């Protein structure tokens, strides 16, 4: 093994952990092996200072219960300053979109996540970093999995060896539907070893007007059952609370119902309201302006007038921004059984190649 050959007993190992479910399964796997072999390792948590309170509490409790040496990688700036300095552009631009310069969400990730992690890796000199990335999470990650495999040297990003032990968990049958994010293998593992998990996974909200149940916030299993019945259920993941990326999945409605203070901070402190109003469906926006004019809330039928009286607007129409952005979600093509089989075979071949091939990555041999 390359790291062992190069560094021997002095090899410094770290698990990158967001304290989300994939990270915890990876951490548990590494912990079991490390204890058996008598190997020490660190845990690095990229605390953006914009995490769910449930995540912060869980991170402290699990670190203590498992005796982890948890190191926090913290940003040198704040979320508020990032938006103050860069403004708010379209909240629905993808990372990598350069149609009008680098999007603010990409700058945000750079300052709050990537920069602190690079600094932590340099300062602690880690030679091998484990993470819980899975190929089935998104198209981008599946393509990365095919390119790099389970273990590779990250020359451009982290400048260290990276190992992804659960990369192909629940992926081979999932790869035809990127982002479906099925997690059967992960949750089966959690259940098998009775691993305590982040309570944010039991704070799912039904964001569907057809739903007539009494419970607004439901646990993970109930959420899955309701989703299987066709209801729209928002199931949060760990990460930054005030992030615009999940807005396409109904995140604004979720925040308004479950984390109202964060919802208000995004609209008022971070300045999302003006952009959301501009991104609103034109007919919906005009209807809102007419309604507020009829109530006497605004004197002029303009977007500026709505923003100036936003507090009153939200009192009368708290759900005003609930559906903004949800139309931006791309409808996934429903593949035929033959197409599914072809893509599944491609994924299986990719998986087999990643496991068997003695590949060369960045001019260095893959660790085996």
């Amino acid at each position: 093994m390359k790291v062992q050959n190069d560094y021997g007993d002095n090899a410094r190992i770290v698990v990158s952990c967001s304290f989300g479910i994939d990270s915890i399964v990876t951490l548990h796997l590494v912990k079991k092996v490390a204890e058996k072999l008598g190997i020490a390792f660190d845990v690095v948590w990229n605390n953006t200072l914009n995490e769910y309170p449930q995540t912060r509490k869980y991170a402290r409790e699990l670190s203590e219960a498992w005796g982890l040496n948890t190191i926090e990688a913290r940003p040198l700036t704040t979320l508020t300053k990032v938006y103050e300095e860069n403004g708010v552009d379209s909240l629905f631009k993808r990372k990598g979109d350069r149609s009008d310069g680098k999007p603010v969400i990409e700058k945000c990730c750079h300052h709050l996540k990537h920069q602190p992690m690079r600094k932590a890796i340099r300062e602690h000199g880690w030679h091998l970093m484990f993470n819980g990335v899975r190929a089935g999470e998104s198209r981008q990650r599946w393509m990365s999995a095919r390119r790099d495999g389970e273990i590779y040297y990250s020359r451009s990003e982290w400048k260290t060896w990276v190992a992804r032990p659960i990369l192909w968990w629940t992926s081979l049958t999932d790869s035809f539907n990127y982002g479906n994010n099925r997690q059967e293998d992960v949750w089966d593992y959690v259940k098998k070893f009775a691993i305590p998990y982040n309570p944010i996974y039991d704070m799912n909200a039904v964001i569907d007007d057809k739903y007539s149940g009494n419970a607004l916030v439901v646990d993970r299993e109930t959420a899955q059952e309701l989703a299987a019945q066709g209801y729209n259920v928002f199931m949060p993941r760990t990460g930054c609370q005030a992030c615009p990326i999940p807005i396409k999945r109904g995140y604004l409605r979720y925040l308004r119902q479950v984390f109202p203070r964060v919802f208000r901070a995004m609209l008022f402190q971070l300045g999302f309201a003006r952009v959301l109003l501009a991104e609103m469906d034109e007919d919906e926006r005009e209807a809102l302006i007419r309604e507020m004019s009829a109530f006497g809330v605004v004197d002029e039928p303009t977007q500026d007038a709505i923003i100036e009286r936003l507090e009153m607007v939200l009192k009368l129409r708290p759900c005003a921004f609930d559906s903004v952005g949800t139309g931006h979600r791309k409808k996934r093509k429903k593949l035929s059984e033959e197409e599914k089989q072809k893509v599944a075979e491609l994924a299986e071949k990719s998986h087999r190649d990643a496991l068997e091939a003695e590949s060369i990555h960045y001019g260095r041999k893959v660790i085996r």
Side-chain angles (χ1 to χ4, degrees), residues 213-269:
N214 295 323
L216 175 66
V217 178
V218 297
D219 63 25
R220 186 183 66 83
E221 292 186 358
T222 303
Q224 289 181 322
E225 291 172 3
L226 290 171
Q229 294 171 26
Y231 289 107
N232 189 10
V233 184
F234 187 90
M235 298 180 229
R237 302 182 63 185
T238 53
C240 293
Q241 276 190 288
C243 179
I245 293 176
I247 288 177
K248 297 177 184 180
R249 297 192 292 119
Y251 191 45
L252 290 173
R253 180 168 176 174
Y254 173 80
L255 285 178
R256 178 176 65 81
Q257 295 176 339
V258 185
F259 294 98
R261 291 179 62 183
V262 178
F263 173 75
R264 289 181 58 81
M266 290 173 73
L267 295 185
F268 291 93
Q269 277 75 51

Side-chain angles (χ1 to χ4, degrees), residues 36-306:
K36 183 179 293 187
L37 299 178
I39 298 173
F41 69 94
D42 298 324
V43 175
V44 60
W45 174 33
N46 199 163
N47 182 0
T48 63
L49 307 180
N50 183 32
E51 308 290 323
Y52 288 102
Q54 290 76 14
T55 299
R56 296 195 298 269
K57 185 172 183 289
Y58 174 69
R60 291 193 302 269
E61 292 176 348
L62 192 74
S63 294
E64 182 177 349
W66 285 8
L68 304 173
N69 181 33
T70 300
I71 297 160
E72 291 188 28
R74 295 190 170 205
L76 299 176
T77 187
T78 64
L79 178 71
T80 303
K81 287 182 179 179
V82 171
Y83 279 98
E84 284 177 350
E85 293 171 0
N86 296 282
V88 184
D89 52 25
S90 171
L91 298 173
F92 308 110
K93 290 179 68 174
R94 293 176 59 87
K95 289 183 179 179
D97 186 340
R98 295 293 184 272
S99 58
D100 189 26
K102 184 181 291 187
V104 69
I105 58 170
E106 198 167 334
K107 296 175 183 177
C108 192
C109 287
H110 168 76
H111 288 292
L112 302 190
K113 295 169 62 177
H114 302 158
Q115 202 172 59
M117 183 62 81
R118 292 192 192 106
K119 182 172 181 287
I121 292 172
R122 286 198 309 271
E123 290 180 349
H124 294 275
W126 292 309
H127 304 119
L128 174 63
M129 179 170 65
F130 288 86
N131 68 39
V133 167
R134 290 185 304 106
E137 292 180 279
S138 67
R139 181 180 185 278
Q140 184 179 9
R141 290 194 170 182
W142 191 64
M143 295 301 289
S144 167
R146 293 188 61 202
R147 183 189 68 225
D148 299 326
E150 292 91 337
I151 190 161
Y152 67 101
Y153 185 79
S154 176
R155 181 177 297 276
S156 60
E157 185 70 40
W158 309 123
K159 294 178 173 53
T160 190
W161 287 95
V162 176
R164 307 183 286 190
I166 66 170
L167 183 64
W168 294 106
W169 285 27
T170 322
S171 291
L172 295 183
T173 58
D174 189 36
S175 299
F176 61 84
N177 194 2
Y178 307 111
N180 195 18
N181 201 24
R182 290 167 49 192
Q183 295 178 299
E184 291 96 326
D185 293 347
V186 173
W187 287 103
D188 285 348
Y189 185 92
V190 169
K191 184 177 181 180
K192 178 179 180 179
F193 292 98
I195 300 174
Y197 60 84
N198 192 326
I200 196 64
Y201 290 104
D202 283 329
M203 296 184 68
N204 310 281
V206 186
I207 52 174
D208 197 319
D209 293 333
K210 301 189 300 293
Y211 179 68
S212 58
N214 295 323
L216 175 66
V217 178
V218 297
D219 63 25
R220 186 183 66 83
E221 292 186 358
T222 303
Q224 289 181 322
E225 291 172 3
L226 290 171
Q229 294 171 26
Y231 289 107
N232 189 10
V233 184
F234 187 90
M235 298 180 229
R237 302 182 63 185
T238 53
C240 293
Q241 276 190 288
C243 179
I245 293 176
I247 288 177
K248 297 177 184 180
R249 297 192 292 119
Y251 191 45
L252 290 173
R253 180 168 176 174
Y254 173 80
L255 285 178
R256 178 176 65 81
Q257 295 176 339
V258 185
F259 294 98
R261 291 179 62 183
V262 178
F263 173 75
R264 289 181 58 81
M266 290 173 73
L267 295 185
F268 291 93
Q269 277 75 51
L270 299 182
F272 282 20
R274 185 175 295 277
V275 177
L276 288 170
L277 190 61
E279 297 276 6
M280 188 180 288
D281 177 81
E282 185 175 353
D283 291 339
E284 189 177 348
R285 182 173 59 246
E286 293 304 317
L288 176 64
I289 293 175
R290 285 196 304 270
E291 182 181 357
M292 293 302 113
S293 296
F295 281 125
V297 175
V298 296
D299 297 326
E300 298 179 356
T302 63
Q303 294 184 43
D304 287 341
I306 292 290

